[in-house]
């Protein structure tokens, strides 16, 4: 168990030095709750408000089960507003949206230790089937969510439709993309990071955060709740199962393993930062439809994992934050030799070995690497000279070389990389040697823009894009990528909004690209 009393003491000393005013005892709620954890509230518990203010969600489906999620939070922006007792929640799963043909039901305890959030792994379901679900506590019922199981491991699947999303800074725009996504013809949503942002309040943005920069357990819970109360985000969660992984802002911008971005402060040593990471990881788990294996232990959380969709696709979900070495040359955009450190790693050895083993053994037609930052080499200086982002795989060339060599030599079936982070749409060929445009293409990389981060964006294309021939498409609007996958073709539609700084943006398709079975080069659709 994490010692949250110690975390509070350490973080409060840090916060005072940064002149942030945090209420005394901000972390004491969990300690108080632990004292009462043996008590269970009656099923007739009354709440100060509707308890399902954060909606419902589902995720990580397999052929016979799926995770369903909710959290009791009658006062979502005030610590949740729940008494420090266990509360039983009933759940139901049905084959119809009217919830009349119930096929599974049960009761789960919502505990103070996990902010009265629950994740139920619903077992014994039929493969490749839509289901509807809800939660009930007392006289209150949650919204009804819809979810879907995966096909059998060796089953045939003729198509899979999913959306790729990332980067949803609440302050910088409205989640209109999710309104359209919730109405789309999809089986799944893949979120590759920056679900929340940790920063303080901006007075010049369309919406505002609910506190200064977050550090404490209650801070992180209130920030996740702020994002979760968005009705468009709730609609997207209720419409489809999600596969989620994080990037940096779920903890702190550009952190690397146990190293904080803010390395100039005297108390910003790894021991202190790991306490903050422990809090952030726990609260992330509290708010996501993840399986029990993903529950963090202190500052460690097993998030990389593999999900199969019959013989059609396997998703190898990566974590490029928790195990990476520090960004070389103090981060930023730098020339070579920065990024060429032979011992630099963006995945850590254990995860890298796990990835290669899974790719080697995969029987899927499409092998999907769902991860955070751009894998491809991107020269970010127009004209003479070359510079590269040290936070991307460009800062970890040794890791990238091993990946690209593996793809070229072992030839797993149809490798496709899914990426977020950069707040732009990209389509990129992965080359065996980026310095030789004529070298073999060994994979495809589809990069989604942000949901809202960066504001409206523009149609301007940076001059350096033309100097990167591996880049087949670039767009700087907000939106998502819709992927249609069949045994013979992968099609990616790049959808973008006219604006996100008001809630009235309209969506349009900017471009479509295809990759065909056995040919990783990206072509216009």
């Amino acid at each position: 168990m994490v010692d949250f009393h110690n975390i509070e003491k350490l973080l409060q000393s840090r916060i005072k030095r940064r002149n942030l005013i945090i209420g005394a005892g901000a972390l004491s709620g969990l300690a108080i709750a632990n004292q009462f954890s043996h008590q269970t509230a009656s099923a007739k518990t009354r709440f100060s408000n509707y308890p399902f203010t954060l909606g419902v969600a589902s995720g990580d489906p397999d052929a016979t089960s799926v995770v369903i999620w909710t959290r009791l939070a009658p006062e979502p922006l005030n610590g949740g507003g729940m008494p420090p007792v266990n509360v039983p929640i009933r759940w139901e799963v049905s084959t119809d949206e009217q919830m009349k043909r119930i096929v599974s039901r049960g009761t789960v305890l919502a505990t103070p230790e996990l902010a009265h959030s629950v994740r139920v792994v619903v077992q014994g379901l039929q493969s490749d089937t839509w289901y509807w679900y809800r939660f009930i506590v007392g006289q209150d019922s949650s919204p009804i969510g819809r979810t879907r199981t995966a096909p059998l491991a060796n089953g045939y699947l003729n198509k899979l439709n999913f959306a790729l999303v990332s980067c949803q800074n609440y302050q910088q725009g409205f989640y209109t993309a999710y309104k359209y996504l919730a109405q789309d013809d999809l089986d799944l949503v893949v979120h590759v990071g920056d679900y929340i942002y940790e920063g303080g309040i901006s007075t010049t943005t369309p919406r505002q955060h609910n506190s200064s920069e977050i550090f404490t357990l209650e801070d992180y819970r209130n920030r996740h709740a702020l994002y979760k109360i968005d009705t468009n985000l709730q609609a997207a969660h209720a419409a489809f199962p999600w596969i989620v992984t994080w990037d940096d802002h779920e903890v702190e911008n550009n952190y690397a393993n146990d190293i904080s971005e803010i390395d100039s402060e005297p108390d910003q040593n790894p021991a202190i930062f790991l306490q903050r990471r422990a809090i952030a990881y726990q609260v992330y788990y509290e708010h996501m439809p993840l399986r029990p294996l993903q529950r963090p232990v202190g500052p460690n959380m097993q998030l990389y994992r593999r999900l199969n969709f019959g013989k059609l696709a396997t998703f190898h979900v990566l974590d490029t934050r928790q195990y990476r070495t520090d960004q070389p040359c103090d981060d930023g955009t730098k020339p070579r030799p920065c990024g060429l450190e032979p011992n630099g790693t963006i995945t850590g050895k254990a995860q890298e070995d796990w990835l290669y083993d899974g790719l080697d053994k995969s029987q899927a037609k499409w092998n999907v690497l769902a991860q955070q930052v751009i894998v491809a080499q991107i020269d970010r200086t127009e004209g003479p000279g070359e510079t590269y982002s040290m936070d991307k795989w460009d800062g970890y060339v040794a890791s990238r070389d091993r990946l690209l060599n593996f793809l070229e030599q072992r030839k797993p079936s149809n490798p496709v990389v899914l990426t977020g982070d950069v707040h732009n749409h990209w389509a990129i060929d992965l080359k065996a040697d980026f310095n030789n445009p004529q070298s073999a293409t060994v994979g495809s990389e589809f990069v989604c823009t942000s949901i809202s981060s960066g504001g409206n964006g523009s149609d301007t294309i940076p001059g350096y894009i033309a100097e990167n021939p591996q880049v087949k498409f670039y767009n700087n609007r907000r939106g998502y990528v819709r992927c249609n996958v069949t045994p013979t073709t992968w099609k990616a539609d790049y959808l973008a909004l006219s604006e996100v700084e008001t809630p009235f943006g309209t969506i349009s398709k900017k471009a479509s690209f295809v990759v065909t079975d056995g040919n990783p080069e990206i072509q216009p659709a």
Side-chain angles (χ1 to χ4, degrees):
M1 291 291 292
V2 182
D3 185 352
F4 286 100
H5 287 297
N6 186 44
I7 295 172
E8 179 180 17
K9 182 178 178 181
L10 292 168
L11 288 176
Q12 289 295 343
S13 65
R14 170 186 175 183
I15 292 165
K16 288 176 182 177
R17 273 193 279 273
R18 297 186 68 184
N19 296 317
L20 295 175
I21 302 174
I22 301 295
L27 289 174
S28 61
L30 185 68
I32 293 172
N34 286 335
Q35 299 175 26
F36 293 90
S37 60
H38 65 283
Q39 298 184 12
T40 299
S42 143
K44 297 180 180 179
T45 299
R46 294 185 178 275
F47 304 101
S48 59
N49 193 6
Y50 179 62
F52 297 107
T53 57
L54 305 183
V56 298
S58 69
D60 276 20
D62 66 21
T64 60
S65 70
V66 68
V67 181
I68 59 174
W69 171 94
T70 195
R71 178 189 167 199
L72 301 179
E75 298 175 34
L77 304 184
N78 188 29
M82 289 292 295
V85 294
N86 296 341
V87 178
I89 302 178
R90 289 180 288 146
W91 55 269
E92 298 176 334
V93 175
S94 176
T95 56
D96 71 298
E97 57 187 319
Q98 288 78 34
M99 303 300 296
K100 292 182 178 178
R101 296 191 294 271
I102 304 297
V103 295
S104 189
R105 56 162 49 101
T107 300
V108 61
L109 281 181
T111 67
E113 290 82 358
L114 292 177
H116 292 95
S117 67
V118 295
R119 282 142 304 278
V120 178
V121 181
V122 184
Q123 306 274 7
L125 301 176
Q126 295 296 310
S127 63
D128 197 19
T129 301
W130 285 106
Y131 289 95
W132 286 259
Y133 63 95
R134 68 180 173 188
F135 298 88
I136 303 168
V137 60
Q139 301 302 309
D140 293 306
S141 295
S142 74
I144 295 173
R146 185 180 68 156
T147 193
R148 187 183 181 93
T149 52
L152 293 170
N154 294 318
Y156 177 78
L157 184 64
N158 62 2
K159 69 178 179 67
L160 177 68
N161 297 332
F162 72 91
L164 173 64
V165 298
S166 73
C167 301
Q168 51 194 52
N169 192 317
Y170 181 89
Q171 296 194 117
Q172 293 179 357
F174 292 88
Y175 293 168
T176 318
Y178 281 133
K179 179 183 75 172
Y180 293 106
L181 182 152
Q183 301 165 4
D184 213 335
D185 179 19
L186 304 173
D187 302 301
L188 184 70
V189 175
V190 179
H191 196 297
V192 289
D194 292 344
Y195 191 95
I196 66 163
Y197 281 69
E198 81 287 9
I201 298 170
S202 170
T203 59
T204 61
T205 49
R207 303 196 286 185
Q208 280 70 48
H209 277 156
N210 50 344
S211 72
S212 54
E213 185 171 350
I214 54 176
F215 295 99
T216 68
L217 185 69
E218 187 167 353
D219 286 344
Y220 275 95
R221 285 174 172 170
N222 287 342
R223 184 61 56 84
H224 272 272
L226 176 70
Y227 281 56
K228 273 283 202 290
I229 61 175
D230 184 277
T231 54
N232 290 327
L233 176 57
Q234 286 195 19
H237 271 299
F240 315 107
W242 285 41
I243 297 173
V244 299
T245 186
W246 54 36
D247 194 12
D248 51 342
H249 288 287
E250 286 86 355
V251 181
E252 179 193 79
N253 181 49
N254 279 25
Y255 84 94
N257 197 319
D258 60 355
I259 300 168
S260 167
E261 174 202 30
I262 311 169
D263 58 5
S264 60
E265 296 188 3
D267 57 349
Q268 200 57 57
N269 61 62
I272 298 291
F273 181 72
L274 285 176
Q275 305 295 342
R276 182 182 186 183
R277 199 177 90 173
I279 290 172
Y281 283 10
Q282 167 158 330
V283 178
Y284 183 82
Y285 177 77
E286 290 173 355
H287 289 84
M288 297 297 154
L290 292 166
R291 290 177 179 261
L293 178 63
Q294 275 67 62
R295 182 170 180 172
V297 178
N300 304 305
M301 184 167 165
Q302 173 72 48
L303 196 57
Y304 66 84
R305 61 205 190 279
R306 195 169 281 118
L307 294 102
N308 299 304
F309 288 80
K311 292 183 177 180
L312 183 63
T314 292
F315 287 80
H316 310 264
V317 183
L318 304 185
D319 174 358
T320 64
R321 283 292 160 191
Q322 188 174 180
Y323 312 105
R324 65 161 68 190
T325 52
D326 196 13
Q327 292 93 341
C329 300
D330 295 321
D331 207 348
T333 301
K334 303 291 172 60
R336 299 293 185 221
C338 291
L340 300 181
E341 292 78 356
N343 296 322
T345 175
I346 198 168
T347 60
K349 186 177 188 304
Q351 182 178 194
E352 184 175 305
D353 291 345
W354 166 88
L355 173 62
Y356 295 161
D357 181 65
L359 288 171
D360 238 1
K361 295 176 179 176
S362 174
Q363 299 298 308
K365 178 65 70 173
W366 300 91
N367 281 284
V368 188
L369 278 63
Q371 56 93 58
Q372 293 73 24
V373 295
I374 288 181
V375 170
Q377 177 175 290
I378 304 292
D379 171 17
R380 296 175 180 271
T381 293
E382 183 177 358
E386 298 175 352
T387 58
Y388 304 94
S389 172
M390 295 297 102
D391 190 57
K392 315 298 188 280
W393 287 69
D394 265 331
Y396 302 85
V397 173
S399 281
R400 181 172 64 206
D401 285 349
R402 288 192 296 272
L403 173 62
L404 298 179
N405 289 339
F406 180 92
L407 298 182
E408 184 178 28
Q409 295 169 14
R410 301 296 299 174
K411 293 181 170 51
S413 180
N414 298 321
V416 175
V417 174
L418 304 179
T419 301
D421 176 63
V422 288
H423 311 167
N424 328 107
H425 281 320
W426 305 63
I428 315 173
D429 284 339
L430 295 177
K431 308 296 289 186
D433 179 0
F434 285 103
N435 296 317
N436 176 13
Q438 304 307 313
S439 68
T441 299
V442 298
S444 319
E445 183 167 15
F446 296 109
V447 183
C448 68
T449 188
S450 60
I451 292 293
S452 59
S453 303
N456 288 337
S458 71
D459 292 318
T460 302
I461 299 177
Y464 67 80
I465 295 296
E467 299 185 21
N468 292 273
Q470 68 275 20
V471 177
K472 300 299 184 72
F473 176 71
Y474 173 95
N475 180 263
N476 186 33
R477 293 286 182 178
R478 311 288 81 88
Y480 63 97
V481 179
R482 180 177 57 215
C483 298
N484 173 265
V485 186
T486 74
T488 60
T489 305
W490 181 299
K491 181 170 179 279
D493 296 325
Y494 287 85
L495 303 172
L497 288 162
S498 59
E499 59 180 319
V500 296
E501 292 175 12
T502 79
F504 308 114
T506 57
I507 199 164
S508 62
K509 184 168 65 175
K510 294 295 185 180
S512 294
F513 294 90
V514 295
V515 175
T516 56
D517 178 27
N519 180 11
E521 291 189 4
I522 295 172
Q523 305 289 339

